[in-house]
Amino acid sequence: GKRPMTGASETWQLPVWEFVLVPLLLHRLTKLTGSDKYVDHVVQWCQVTSGLKMAAPDELFCWEGDWGLPSVSTDCLVVLAYAQFAGAPLKLRKISNPWRSPSGSLPALRTNQKETLSRPSDIIIHLRKQKYNADYDLSAKEGADSLAFISLLEEKLTPALIYAFWIEPKNYVDVTRRWYAEHLPFPLNFFLPGRMQRQQLEKLRLLRGDESLEAGEELEKEMYRDAAECMNLLSQRLGSHKFFFGDSPSSLDAYVFGHLAPILKSKLPNAKLQQHLKSLDNLTNFCTNILLLYFPRDGRESQKTTSQPEGADFDHVPNKRRKQFLSALVALGAMLSYALLTGMVSIQHVQHEALEEPPDLQHIGPHEEEGDG
C-alpha cells in the first residue's frame, strides 16, 4: 500500500548471517531452558550488534525547474508527482546537463541495485514493485479508466505539447531554445537544443504515424483541436473533485499534472493551448492545488522571480558572468588559432625582420627627431 515519506525511508536490510544463526540460537536456547523468554533479548541484541544498515534510496535525475514548476520537462513532472503521491523516498538530483545522468537522458532513476530506468512508465512500475503504489486504493474499473485516460493523453495531448514547445517557430526560438541555451553548460548549449528539437520532431512523427510530417498551419490546427478535446474530456471527468478518483491522487493525476502544468505556467508567445486550459477552471485549479500541496517551494521561488523587474530576466541564471567570460576566452582562442593556421605567423615574421634591419633604419629615427627639434 501507500507509505508515508518519513516512515518509508526506514527500510532495513538484515545481514545474511542473521537469517542462519539467529533461528539456530533461539532454537538452542528454547530447548535448553524449556522457555522462549530469551527471544526478545536475542532480537534486541541482534538489532544493536549486527550493524543494521538503511537501504540506500533510489536516485532520481530530473531537469531543473522554472516558471514555478519543479521541472520544465513533462516526463520529469510525471515522475516527480507520482513519487510525491506515493511517498517514495527518492534522492532527487535536479540538473541542467543530461550527460550527467546515468542514462544520458532525463528523467533517469538509478536504483539502489545500480539499475537505470528512463521511461516514466518504467520508473512508476519500479516504484510500485517497491510498494510505493499511488493506485493502491483504486477499484478495477477505476484502474481501467486510468489507463484509458493516460492513453488518451499520449495520443491527443502529447503531440500538441511537442508541437507547441519544439516545433512552433516563435515558441521554440523565444522560449524553448532560449531556456535550454541559458541553462545547459558550455559548449552543450550551442548544439544540444537543436539535437533535442530533432529528437522531438522524430517522436512527433512516430506518434502521428507520418514520417514526412512537417510544421504547418493545418497540422497546428489539427493537433490543437485534438488537445482541446482531450482537455475537455479531462475536465468533465474531474468535475468538482479534488483529484480524478476522490480525495487521494493517483497515477492519472500525475500524468495529467505533468502534461498540463507546463502549458499553464510557461510564457509562450503562441499560447493557444494555455488560453483553452485557462478557460477550464477545474483543471487550472487542479494544477495549482498540486503545486501548492506537493511542491510549495517551487511556487514560492516563482513568486520571487516574477516580482523582479523585466530587465532582470536573466539575473537568476547561475554563474552567468563566468560562462560569458569563458565563452569569450574560447572565442578568442579560436580566433588566435585561426590566425596562426592561416599564415599570419609569416606576417609577424616579416615585421620582426623589418625591426632588425641594419643601421640605415636606426640612423633615420634620430635624424628626423633632430630635424623636428
Side-chain angles (χ1 to χ4, degrees):
K2 297 179 184 177
R3 300 182 182 181
M5 182 71 78
T6 53
S9 62
E10 298 176 359
T11 304
W12 301 98
Q13 290 182 333
L14 296 173
V16 175
W17 64 268
E18 283 195 9
F19 292 100
V20 179
L21 293 182
V22 171
L24 292 175
L25 178 61
L26 292 176
H27 175 73
R28 186 66 177 165
L29 287 171
T30 303
K31 189 174 181 180
L32 288 173
T33 62
S35 170
D36 60 358
K37 65 180 180 179
Y38 294 102
V39 170
D40 290 338
H41 296 292
V42 173
V43 171
Q44 290 174 7
W45 176 79
C46 289
Q47 289 176 338
V48 172
T49 62
S50 63
L52 291 173
K53 294 189 243 182
M54 280 179 99
D58 295 340
E59 288 184 271
L60 179 62
F61 296 78
C62 283
W63 281 105
E64 62 186 9
D66 203 349
W67 314 321
L69 298 175
S71 176
V72 297
S73 159
T74 290
D75 288 345
C76 292
L77 286 174
V78 170
V79 175
L80 287 169
Y82 183 89
Q84 286 286 336
F85 298 162
L90 301 177
K91 184 175 182 179
L92 181 59
R93 296 186 181 277
K94 291 186 179 182
I95 58 178
S96 59
N97 181 358
W99 289 9
R100 287 176 54 200
S101 108
S103 66
S105 62
L106 297 169
L109 183 76
R110 181 163 58 198
T111 71
N112 54 23
Q113 303 299 320
K114 304 306 178 186
E115 181 186 6
T116 300
L117 305 170
S118 295
R119 295 173 54 191
S121 57
D122 293 338
I123 295 174
I124 289 174
I125 290 171
H126 168 78
L127 294 178
R128 284 174 179 164
K129 289 179 180 178
Q130 303 300 311
K131 308 301 182 186
Y132 303 110
N133 188 358
D135 296 338
Y136 181 76
D137 295 326
L138 298 187
S139 66
K141 182 182 182 304
E142 288 173 334
D145 288 347
S146 178
L147 291 175
F149 275 103
I150 290 173
S151 297
L152 181 69
L153 281 169
E154 295 292 335
E155 181 183 351
K156 300 292 186 181
L157 194 53
T158 299
L161 265 175
I162 294 174
Y163 189 91
F165 281 88
W166 291 98
I167 311 301
E168 204 284 331
K170 192 164 181 59
N171 289 350
Y172 173 68
V173 171
D174 291 355
V175 177
T176 308
R177 187 178 67 182
R178 185 177 184 178
W179 190 93
Y180 284 100
E182 289 170 358
H183 289 77
L184 284 164
F186 177 85
L188 299 183
N189 55 344
F190 283 104
F191 66 88
L192 207 51
R195 179 185 294 182
M196 293 168 68
Q197 185 193 36
R198 291 189 293 273
Q199 291 172 345
Q200 291 295 327
L201 178 58
E202 192 61 31
K203 181 179 178 180
L204 181 60
R205 286 170 174 167
L206 288 173
L207 288 170
R208 301 282 298 182
D210 185 356
E211 294 184 2
S212 60
L213 187 73
E214 295 295 341
E217 189 175 341
E218 289 300 319
L219 177 64
E220 178 180 319
K221 286 182 180 178
E222 183 181 349
M223 284 194 294
Y224 285 1
R225 182 176 64 247
D226 288 346
E229 290 176 2
C230 178
M231 285 190 273
N232 291 340
L233 290 172
L234 290 170
S235 178
Q236 293 171 15
R237 179 64 183 82
L238 180 63
S240 59
H241 299 293
K242 188 175 182 180
F243 300 107
F244 280 89
F245 298 109
D247 295 328
S248 298
S250 65
S251 59
L252 176 59
D253 297 279
Y255 273 93
V256 173
F257 171 76
H259 284 74
L260 295 184
I263 298 174
L264 180 65
K265 304 295 285 185
S266 62
K267 298 177 181 179
L268 299 178
N270 183 348
K272 294 176 183 176
L273 288 178
Q274 186 183 79
Q275 291 168 6
H276 186 78
L277 175 58
K278 286 185 174 180
S279 71
L280 304 170
D281 292 337
N282 60 344
L283 287 183
T284 302
N285 293 334
F286 166 82
C287 293
T288 304
N289 289 336
I290 288 179
L291 286 169
L292 291 173
L293 287 172
Y294 294 97
F295 306 101
R297 181 179 176 182
D298 298 283
R300 288 196 298 269
E301 290 177 355
S302 172
Q303 291 174 357
K304 291 178 183 178
T305 303
T306 53
S307 65
Q308 293 178 349
E310 291 184 4
D313 283 348
F314 308 110
D315 291 345
H316 67 283
V317 179
N319 303 319
K320 181 172 181 272
R321 291 188 180 277
R322 181 168 62 87
K323 291 179 180 178
Q324 289 176 334
F325 179 69
L326 290 174
S327 299
L329 282 180
V330 171
L332 180 60
M335 292 170 62
L336 290 174
S337 300
Y338 177 77
L340 292 171
L341 291 172
T342 52
M344 292 187 70
V345 174
S346 61
I347 296 174
Q348 294 174 355
H349 184 61
V350 170
Q351 293 174 348
H352 182 66
E353 289 177 350
L355 290 174
E356 291 179 354
E357 279 188 351
D360 300 1
L361 208 53
Q362 294 179 0
H363 289 304
I364 293 174
H367 180 72
E368 289 182 348
E369 287 178 0
E370 289 173 6
D372 291 338

